[in-house]
Amino acid sequence: KMIALTKEMAGYTDPGKEVYDVLLDKYEEGMDSATIDRLFSKLKEVLIPLVKKILAAKQPDDTKFHAYFDPDDQRKVQDLLLSYIGFSKDAGQWGTALSMACSYFDLDCKVYMVKCSYEQKPFRREVMRTYGASVTPSPSMDTEVGRKILAEHPGTTGSLGCAISEAVEVATNTEGYRYVLGSVLSQVLLHQTVIGLETKAALDKYDITPDIIIGCAGGGSNLGGLVSPFIGEMLRGEKKYQVIAVEPASCPSLTRGKYAYDFCDTGKVCPLAKMYTLGSGFIPSPNHAGGLRYHGMSSVLSQLYADGLMEARSVEQTSVFKAAEQFARVEGILPAPESSHAIKVAIDEAMKCKETGEEKTIVFGLTGTGYFDMYAYESFHDGTMKDYIPTDEDLEPGFASLPKM
């Protein structure tokens, strides 16, 4: 009866439309059965042959998965693996998310936060502590690698590479600890693609095709997540976009780095990765208030950049905060400093169009708000924020430390 009544109601709602289209539109605006048919017809072209191939292949022995495992023993294993989680992230968003998740499952959580961000973003730090996490500014005297970094770079305000080294040391030397990174690695880019998929779905819904796609670039996870669905179209020969990665001039891994195998962390305890890098020993200038403090770049994005599918630009931090201020006054949104790198270049590209008379659709990633970054905004407004661009001589020690392959 309920099914019949629902169909009857749909018929009254829009008499000229197919019943199922009315119901689909109710739960997902703009969706209809024709769209679903197109989607699944494409999937069937790939999935049906794949399923037949799997069924025809020799089937693996899966008896072990049908065995009985005592639930109490399963919980003991879970507690052993997850009782402690050690991890790192530059600006604190990843630490905030994971500290919240750990609090739900009554797990201890230890965060190594880049010292510069620890000092410039005290409210982000306190959110993590509110959820029960302990937060340590990196580099610290708590670990062997932290003490070594401080001995070699007295007074340093750290980098993401330093925080990674400390978190990995704790995770590998303490019973029950596991290390979780929220940037750089390929699996992180994968779950960040929800950003690009939702962006693309929104654009497709309104029949909008972007000409330029812009994102901020530190370790690359956010940018990779934004642009991956669009670059997928480029790789398949379906579309052509201009993709721009924007990085700070004080930490220019793409625009001035070398494409080489390097350590992912300052302490050189992680495996080597091929990426654009300034050298694992490179420490960004301490006056850099805009985040994105990593010596290298995601291997995936590095390959795309090397293949010419993406371009890169570096911008100075005072111009970044000027763009952030302009954006806030127009849109009523206070952007995060990291996002403001993308905003700066989006404004530059829009001004070029104004000068040439061209019409272009520009998409950029607004990765977060800046309400936890008010010390950086204060520095900009007070005129104490300074720009720093490393010289070739400044970069040479980092390049000299690259592994000899």
Side-chain angles (χ1 to χ4, degrees):
K1 288 184 178 181
M2 288 298 298
I3 294 174
L5 286 171
T6 301
K7 289 182 176 180
E8 185 179 352
M9 181 182 70
Y12 289 131
T13 303
D14 193 340
K17 184 183 279 189
E18 185 70 29
V19 169
Y20 289 110
D21 287 344
V22 175
L23 295 174
L24 283 168
D25 188 62
K26 177 181 178 182
Y27 292 102
E28 186 170 347
E29 187 179 351
M31 183 59 67
D32 55 36
S33 54
T35 302
I36 292 177
D37 287 342
R38 286 197 301 272
L39 171 64
F40 281 96
S41 63
K42 290 182 180 179
L43 285 174
K44 284 190 289 186
E45 291 175 6
V46 179
L47 288 178
I48 291 175
L50 177 61
V51 170
K52 288 181 178 179
K53 184 177 179 181
I54 292 172
L55 291 174
K58 182 180 178 181
Q59 298 302 304
D61 180 11
D62 63 351
T63 54
K64 66 181 72 174
F65 299 114
H66 299 284
Y68 174 79
F69 295 97
D70 185 78
D72 290 334
D73 289 338
Q74 293 183 50
R75 278 188 285 271
K76 288 177 183 178
V77 173
Q78 171 188 290
D79 291 342
L80 174 64
L81 295 176
L82 298 177
S83 58
Y84 293 94
I85 295 181
F87 64 95
S88 60
K89 182 68 174 75
D90 188 357
Q93 292 93 330
W94 179 244
T96 301
L98 206 52
S99 61
M100 178 189 292
C102 286
S103 71
Y104 292 157
F105 293 95
D106 197 26
L107 303 175
D108 290 329
C109 182
K110 187 171 183 63
V111 181
Y112 282 90
M113 189 174 182
V114 178
K115 185 178 291 183
C116 177
S117 292
Y118 181 94
E119 294 170 349
Q120 292 177 351
K121 305 172 189 280
F123 305 119
R124 176 76 68 183
R125 178 187 72 216
E126 292 311 310
V127 171
M128 290 184 251
R129 292 177 64 189
T130 297
Y131 287 118
S134 64
V135 186
T136 303
S138 177
S140 72
M141 296 297 289
D142 294 356
T143 64
E144 182 179 341
V145 69
R147 293 188 290 271
K148 180 181 178 182
I149 292 169
L150 288 170
E152 294 175 355
H153 305 277
T156 179
T157 53
S159 70
L160 183 57
C162 297
I164 291 172
S165 294
E166 291 205 273
V168 169
E169 179 181 320
V170 172
T172 55
N173 293 317
T174 310
E175 180 71 23
Y177 272 63
R178 293 297 181 270
Y179 170 65
V180 183
L181 180 66
S183 183
V184 184
L185 302 179
S186 297
Q187 72 268 21
V188 182
L189 267 68
L190 183 62
H191 71 66
Q192 289 273 29
T193 54
V194 68
I195 302 168
L197 291 169
E198 289 186 350
T199 301
K200 192 172 185 312
L203 292 170
D204 289 346
K205 180 176 180 178
Y206 295 103
D207 197 25
I208 297 172
T209 300
D211 298 293
I212 307 173
I213 305 167
I214 305 169
C216 61
S221 59
N222 184 279
L223 173 66
L226 173 64
V227 305
S228 288
F230 299 96
I231 288 185
E233 290 182 306
M234 294 171 67
L235 290 170
R236 294 189 297 271
E238 298 168 359
K239 295 283 181 63
K240 177 64 178 176
Y241 303 105
Q242 182 183 3
V243 179
I244 306 174
V246 189
E247 62 184 7
S250 64
C251 194
S253 56
L254 282 172
T255 52
R256 297 177 65 191
K258 293 186 177 181
Y259 193 29
Y261 280 96
D262 193 15
F263 290 97
C264 295
D265 65 306
T266 306
K268 301 181 180 180
V269 298
C270 292
L272 297 176
K274 190 174 184 183
M275 58 183 174
Y276 279 90
T277 176
L278 300 170
S280 60
F282 178 78
I283 305 290
S285 167
N287 70 358
H288 180 55
L292 311 180
R293 301 167 59 83
Y294 186 56
H295 66 272
M297 183 58 61
S298 153
S299 294
V300 173
L301 292 186
S302 293
Q303 184 68 61
L304 294 173
Y305 182 59
D307 290 344
L309 291 164
M310 183 176 74
E311 60 187 85
R313 300 188 194 166
S314 63
V315 290
E316 299 170 4
Q317 66 175 354
T318 52
S319 67
V320 166
F321 278 85
K322 183 178 179 181
E325 185 178 76
Q326 181 181 355
F327 181 82
R329 292 179 180 181
V330 173
E331 298 293 338
I333 300 171
L334 187 73
E338 293 78 11
S339 308
S340 301
H341 287 70
I343 292 172
K344 164 70 171 74
V345 172
I347 292 174
D348 290 345
E349 291 299 315
M351 294 306 294
K352 287 181 186 178
C353 291
K354 186 175 182 180
E355 292 171 3
T356 62
E358 292 180 277
E359 290 188 4
K360 290 186 178 181
T361 300
I362 303 170
V363 172
F364 67 89
L366 178 61
T367 59
T369 58
Y371 297 106
F372 288 149
D373 300 279
M374 297 316 297
Y375 284 135
Y377 274 95
E378 181 183 41
S379 174
F380 172 69
H381 292 141
D382 289 347
T384 58
M385 179 178 287
K386 305 297 181 184
D387 290 319
Y388 171 74
I389 301 176
T391 64
D392 291 342
E393 290 74 19
D394 293 331
L395 297 179
E396 192 52 43
F399 295 144
S401 69
L402 291 172
K404 301 297 185 290
M405 303 298 292

